[in-house]
Amino acid sequence: MFEIWETSEPARLISDAGSLKVALEKVDTMCRLRHDQALAHVGSTGEGYHFEIRDDDGKALARLTYVPDTTRAYKSVVVDELRGDNEHPAG
């Protein structure tokens, strides 16, 4: 089990996930939401948004700081290699 936290003050639990792949997708969804909010001028981006994926013991396994770039369309913060979508055949 993994927990997704937004660690900007105050820190808050966003969601949980049964796999790392799902946790990464949820972080990506949160970043897309923050990008859309920045485009709509909702809230303040300040120094960006801080996210963590934590294990069952509360240990941070991954950290991400996301600063929306409203000069371009949203681009996923999760690269294909992390998703496991980029499997290379043996040979």
Side-chain angles (χ1 to χ4, degrees), residues 30-85:
M30 288 303 301
C31 291
R32 180 182 298 275
L33 175 65
R34 296 299 185 233
H35 182 268
D36 292 346
Q37 289 174 334
L39 281 173
H41 304 291
V42 175
S44 171
T45 60
E47 294 182 17
Y49 301 96
H50 307 282
F51 299 97
E52 285 185 0
I53 297 175
R54 299 179 184 174
D55 65 11
D56 286 336
D57 296 325
K59 179 182 174 187
L61 301 174
R63 291 186 177 102
L64 172 77
T65 297
Y66 175 69
V67 179
D69 179 358
T70 58
T71 64
R72 62 182 178 90
Y74 179 76
K75 182 178 178 189
S76 177
V77 298
V78 181
V79 295
D80 289 340
E81 289 81 7
L82 288 174
R83 284 191 179 101
D85 295 341

Side-chain angles (χ1 to χ4, degrees), residues 12-32:
R12 65 186 181 104
L13 176 65
I14 301 293
S15 184
D16 58 17
S19 71
L20 183 56
K21 182 175 181 174
V22 172
L24 290 167
E25 291 300 325
K26 289 184 177 190
V27 169
D28 192 50
T29 298
M30 288 303 301
C31 291
R32 180 182 298 275

